């Protein structure tokens, strides 16, 4: 039996509408069937003017090896509309440091929308 490590990420091009400004920002989003929430890069969210709402309780972020992430706890959330292939959906995302990607959509979004992936 062989185990293959796939290096390919599944990304979709979506529009993210800033509800406060009515402006749609195109971006690539990572589909992560293992994620249990929707996440947005906090720096990018601030750059496009998304209003951040402080959480009542911060959420610690752990790495795969169980150590605390150097980016710190999630302390904010924000609201926006995701547009994909003519469908619009208002979502709530937790703001954190994502690095090279602006947005991560979780398994519930993937299950609900079941996009065709080439």
């Amino acid at each position: 039996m062989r185990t293959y490590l796939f290096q390919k990420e599944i990304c979709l091009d979506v529009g993210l509408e800033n509800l406060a400004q009515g402006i749609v920002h195109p971006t690539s989003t990572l589909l992560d069937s293992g994620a249990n929430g929707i996440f947005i890069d906090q720096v990018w969210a601030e750059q496009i003017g998304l209003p951040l709402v402080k959480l009542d309780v911060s959420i610690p972020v752990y790495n795969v090896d169980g150590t605390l992430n150097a980016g710190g706890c999630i302390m904010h959330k924000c609201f926006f509309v995701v547009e994909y292939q003519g469908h619009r959906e208002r979502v709530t995302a937790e703001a954190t440091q994502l690095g090279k990607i602006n947005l991560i959509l979780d398994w519930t979004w993937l299950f609900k929308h079941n996009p065709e992936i080439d």
Side-chain angles (χ1 to χ4, degrees):
M1 177 179 270
R2 272 187 142 159
T3 302
Y4 291 97
L5 296 176
F6 292 98
Q7 300 292 324
K8 187 155 175 116
E9 298 174 335
I10 299 174
C11 294
L12 297 176
D13 292 327
V14 299
L16 185 147
E17 181 182 350
N18 181 330
L19 296 169
Q21 300 172 345
I23 298 171
V24 177
H25 302 273
T27 191
S28 181
T29 182
L30 176 67
L31 290 181
D32 186 346
S33 61
N36 60 355
I38 296 175
F39 301 94
I40 190 166
D41 185 73
Q42 185 165 339
V43 172
W44 186 68
E46 291 169 348
Q47 287 173 346
I48 64 171
L50 284 176
L52 298 176
V53 178
K54 189 162 178 63
L55 297 174
D56 293 333
V57 177
S58 62
I59 302 168
V61 179
Y62 293 93
N63 300 318
V64 174
D65 65 1
T67 60
L68 282 171
N69 189 281
C73 294
I74 295 173
M75 300 178 67
H76 296 89
K77 65 181 175 182
C78 59
F79 308 95
F80 50 87
V81 171
V82 174
E83 297 179 353
Y84 178 70
Q85 293 185 343
H87 176 74
R88 296 169 43 86
E89 180 180 8
R90 183 181 168 149
V91 299
T92 302
E94 295 166 340
T96 188
Q97 293 182 22
L98 296 181
K100 297 178 181 179
I101 194 87
N102 292 331
L103 184 63
I104 296 175
L105 295 174
D106 66 348
W107 72 271
T108 56
W109 190 95
L110 183 61
F111 179 78
K112 181 178 180 180
H113 299 286
N114 194 23
E116 284 191 34
I117 300 169
D118 185 11

